[in-house]
Amino acid sequence: MPEKSQTPDEKLQQEFNRWAVAGEGPKMESHHLNITEKTLRLMNLRPGERVLDLGCGSGWATRLLARLVGEGPEGFGQVVGLDVSDEMVRLAREASRDFENILYVWGSAQQIPWEENFFDKVLSVESFYYYPDQDRALLELFRVMAPRGKLFILINLYRDNPYSLQWVDQLKVPVHVRSTTEYVELLKEHAFENVESSRISDDTPTPDDYQTKSFHSLDDLRAFKREGALLLTASKPDLRTPAPGYTIY
Ligand SMILES: C[S@@+](CC[C@H](N)C(=O)[O-])C[C@H]1O[C@@H](n2cnc3c(N)ncnc32)[C@H](O)[C@@H]1O
């Protein structure tokens, strides 16, 4: 019997389900925590805000976000964690039972199952370069973000960090390898404002006995961390996006 052909999202689901079952979900926290904490500080999160964690994996960053926007004088903030891998969503729900202000949703960045003009802030950690159609993901982000909402995309795999390119052949799903300039242009083409890029280095030490499968050597891993992740920030202009088929007067 010929194998049923899979959509790009189904391939991603299958691959990241495999990661989840292999225990990679929670492990990613140790790899991404340092750069994510620095990004959280830049996000200037406030109690009462509505936040989307796009490509949330096992949900460790979602929980950090939920603590920062939880109950306060300005209201009860909510965080939505969205991931294409149902196994990652399962892990995330399991680990977040004590949180009343998190909702995990299984779905794709290509078609975000949420209403228009909703999220004050969006964080996406190490996920954006997997999206098969990044234009479509940006259209979706623009749609679900609130007017003046802020977008924070953190990417470790990009052309300007040559050490990160060692992974491309090891990954079992296709990825985009764009430069900083290309990403900035892409965001501007999608009508985002205040588009900026910066580098977030990872200053955690790499011990001499650390085992790495992803890098050719520990020196390459250290250089990769020093070069740092690309942080893209942007905001949605102060206008409302009409829902499909509707006009806002
Ligand atoms: C490298 S992991 C990072 C997970 C998490 N942000 C973290 O730092 O631990 C990439 C995540 O993006 C998710 N992902 C990939 N493509 C996606 C898509 N099209 N829509 C939503 N999530 C996606 C994967 O399922 C996976 O959980």
Side-chain angles (χ1 to χ4, degrees), residues 100-215:
E100 289 177 10
N101 62 335
I102 297 181
L103 182 70
Y104 290 105
V105 181
W106 174 43
S108 171
Q110 310 284 119
Q111 193 170 1
I112 300 176
W114 210 264
E115 67 187 84
E116 291 70 32
N117 307 303
F118 188 85
F119 294 105
D120 301 305
K121 298 206 174 131
V122 176
L123 174 67
S124 181
V125 180
E126 269 296 275
S127 184
F128 195 73
Y129 55 82
Y130 290 105
Y131 304 160
D133 183 344
Q134 292 181 313
D135 282 297
R136 173 132 179 223
L138 287 173
L139 281 171
E140 279 293 85
L141 280 170
F142 194 95
R143 182 181 65 78
V144 299
M145 282 170 66
R148 286 182 278 166
K150 293 203 165 48
L151 176 61
F152 297 80
I153 299 177
L154 201 47
I155 299 178
N156 260 330
L157 176 52
Y158 62 110
R159 195 167 296 286
D160 310 295
N161 185 345
Y163 302 97
S164 70
L165 307 182
Q166 299 180 14
W167 307 337
V168 176
D169 293 337
Q170 298 176 34
L171 292 166
K172 296 199 172 59
V173 281
V175 288
H176 297 272
V177 184
R178 292 189 194 265
S179 67
T180 304
T181 314
E182 285 167 350
Y183 272 122
V184 167
E185 280 314 304
L186 191 67
L187 284 161
K188 286 183 179 166
E189 279 165 24
H190 282 274
F192 283 99
E193 284 182 342
N194 308 314
V195 180
E196 281 177 24
S197 66
S198 55
R199 294 276 186 113
I200 308 284
S201 62
D202 178 343
D203 37 54
T204 54
T206 303
D208 287 335
D209 59 353
Y210 186 80
Q211 303 285 324
T212 174
K213 282 196 226 134
S214 309
F215 294 88

Side-chain angles (χ1 to χ4, degrees), residues 80-100:
V80 173
L82 177 74
D83 204 284
V84 79
S85 155
D86 50 316
E87 291 296 341
M88 287 288 187
V89 168
R90 205 160 285 137
L91 287 176
R93 284 183 181 153
E94 187 72 33
S96 308
R97 286 204 185 133
D98 295 341
F99 287 79
E100 289 177 10

